[in-house]
Amino acid sequence: MTQSPTPPALDEPVFGKLTLIGIGLIGSSIARVARARNIAGHIAVSSRRAETLTRAKELQLGNSYTQDAAEAVKDADCVIVCVPVGASEQTAKAIAPHLKPGAIVSDVGSVKRSVIDQMQPHLPSNVHFIPAHPVAGTEKSGPDAGFETLFDNRWCILTPLPDTDQNALDRLNRFWAACGANMEQMDADHHDLVLAITSHLPHLIAYNIVGTANDLETVTESEVMKYSAGGFRDFTRLAASDPTMWRDVCLHNKDALLEMLARFSEDLSALQRAIRWSKGDELFELFTHTRGIRRAIIDAGQEVDLPDFGRQAGLQQSDDDNSSK
């Protein structure tokens, strides 16, 4: 699949006022792209941490800044909650009395059923609650981590409720499409199962294998660093992801994760047997099949087919971006 071009700036914003509650990697990336492409007229930024808010202001990510989420959502056409999923209920309670009738309330969490259960009971019936998950990110966090093109040619999954207003749904679709995302709709429970295998389980495996390497008495720390040009380095990237976010993912997508962990454990046992009994044909068949999956991901435009996984190209792009500022 040929990568889609970056969408141009809009003639008219999708939302007059956009409020972002939380201004980490995802929130700051939304702020950057919404401003650069005229997707929102006014961007209100809210963070409970004063130092984070100060940094967001230094980066000029918004038009207004406040630690008070209730203040931030006043008169907002769209509110996007960009906090760890475990804080969703607390956030919904704080903003609910101050939302404008007809406002769209959404989120960016990688777990959807729990977010719905936490937020929906507290939101007024005269707003449109449409959960969302932009499937994009890096291992970095904080307002400095965001960048305008984070969502380009990545998927954004909406999990609307059965009675969702179609006009509100279309509007949120337009917003994310203008951010560069490919759009998909999914049932919340199905979303959580899909993400358990495609995102949550790989992160758990990464956290675990890096911890295992750290515990090995026969492998020194210097050897781990020195020889990490192998597959271990790729695990460390995932294992460097935000601990609060991934703690909450584990706790709030527990059932789907446990199901995927059980399936993975069974497959790992089968692999162990194949190695123990020298079943070369079985190993070759597995490795050939999984190599084809990697090729399919590249062909779908979700990865680059460059030496070193495109890392050097990414570093060069980052240097070019920094030099242009």
Side-chain angles (χ1 to χ4, degrees):
M1 183 178 80
T2 303
Q3 183 155 332
S4 303
T6 297
L10 302 181
D11 293 331
E12 294 288 337
V14 178
F15 298 116
K17 180 180 178 180
L18 169 69
T19 295
L20 301 172
I21 301 177
I23 196 70
L25 167 66
I26 300 297
S28 65
S29 294
I30 294 173
R32 285 176 168 92
V33 69
R35 167 165 287 185
R37 301 180 192 173
N38 192 36
I39 307 173
H42 179 103
I43 301 171
V45 175
S46 178
S47 174
R48 62 182 180 83
R49 298 180 59 190
E51 57 269 33
T52 301
L53 204 63
T54 297
R55 185 56 184 153
K57 192 170 184 177
E58 291 171 350
L59 293 168
Q60 299 181 333
L61 295 178
N63 302 99
S64 60
Y65 307 85
T66 178
Q67 286 181 260
D68 185 356
E71 176 66 27
V73 303
K74 288 180 179 177
D75 298 319
D77 301 295
C78 179
V79 176
I80 301 182
V81 176
C82 308
V83 302
V85 293
S88 299
E89 183 173 18
Q90 178 184 354
T91 302
K93 287 179 179 178
I95 67 175
H98 310 281
L99 294 166
K100 181 176 76 171
I104 293 172
V105 178
S106 191
D107 77 307
V108 296
S110 70
V111 178
K112 295 273 67 84
R113 174 53 59 192
S114 175
V115 167
I116 292 171
D117 291 344
Q118 289 183 73
M119 295 186 67
Q120 186 183 17
H122 306 290
L123 297 175
S125 59
N126 60 359
V127 302
H128 307 292
F129 176 44
I130 309 175
H133 176 206
V135 188
T138 72
E139 73 276 18
K140 295 180 170 57
S141 58
D144 287 276
F147 51 97
E148 179 192 334
T149 58
L150 177 63
F151 310 111
D152 283 354
N153 204 38
R154 296 293 177 254
W155 288 95
C156 181
I157 302 171
L158 303 185
T159 59
L161 305 178
D163 58 350
T164 296
D165 178 79
Q166 188 61 47
N167 289 331
L169 184 60
D170 291 343
R171 202 174 179 192
L172 191 61
N173 261 292
R174 289 201 307 273
F175 172 84
W176 278 110
C179 290
N182 304 315
M183 302 307 299
E184 182 68 271
Q185 288 186 34
M186 206 176 281
D187 171 76
D189 294 314
H190 184 67
H191 166 277
D192 290 354
L193 191 64
V194 170
L195 268 294
I197 188 62
T198 60
S199 175
H200 305 166
L201 180 60
H203 277 81
L204 286 188
I205 294 169
Y207 280 118
N208 199 62
I209 198 169
V210 172
T212 299
N214 185 62
D215 290 340
L216 284 175
E217 295 180 358
T218 56
V219 178
T220 67
E221 182 177 345
S222 62
E223 286 174 324
V224 169
M225 303 302 175
K226 184 176 180 180
Y227 302 119
S228 65
F232 184 77
R233 178 185 59 185
D234 299 305
F235 280 116
T236 63
R237 184 187 68 80
L238 290 180
S241 299
D242 182 66
T244 300
M245 181 181 77
W246 284 100
R247 176 203 64 194
D248 284 6
V249 166
C250 289
L251 296 177
H252 291 270
N253 198 24
K254 181 166 56 177
D255 291 343
L257 254 178
L258 288 174
E259 182 178 340
M260 290 301 107
L261 278 168
R263 175 64 182 268
F264 176 76
S265 296
E266 293 170 2
D267 291 342
L268 192 61
S269 295
L271 179 60
Q272 183 179 12
R273 288 193 298 272
I275 295 171
R276 182 181 300 279
W277 301 110
S278 300
K279 295 183 177 180
D281 290 344
E282 190 173 317
L283 293 170
F284 184 82
E285 181 180 354
L286 172 64
F287 300 156
T288 300
H289 178 66
T290 55
R291 187 182 188 185
I293 293 173
R294 166 71 183 176
R295 185 72 255 171
I297 291 172
I298 293 171
D299 291 344
Q302 299 303 303
E303 179 60 288
V304 294
D305 191 11
L306 293 172
D308 200 27
F309 296 93
R311 287 186 181 87
Q312 298 306 316
L315 289 173
Q316 181 62 51
Q317 181 63 51
S318 178
D319 291 341
D320 293 343
D321 291 343
N322 289 333
S323 64
S324 65
K325 291 180 181 177

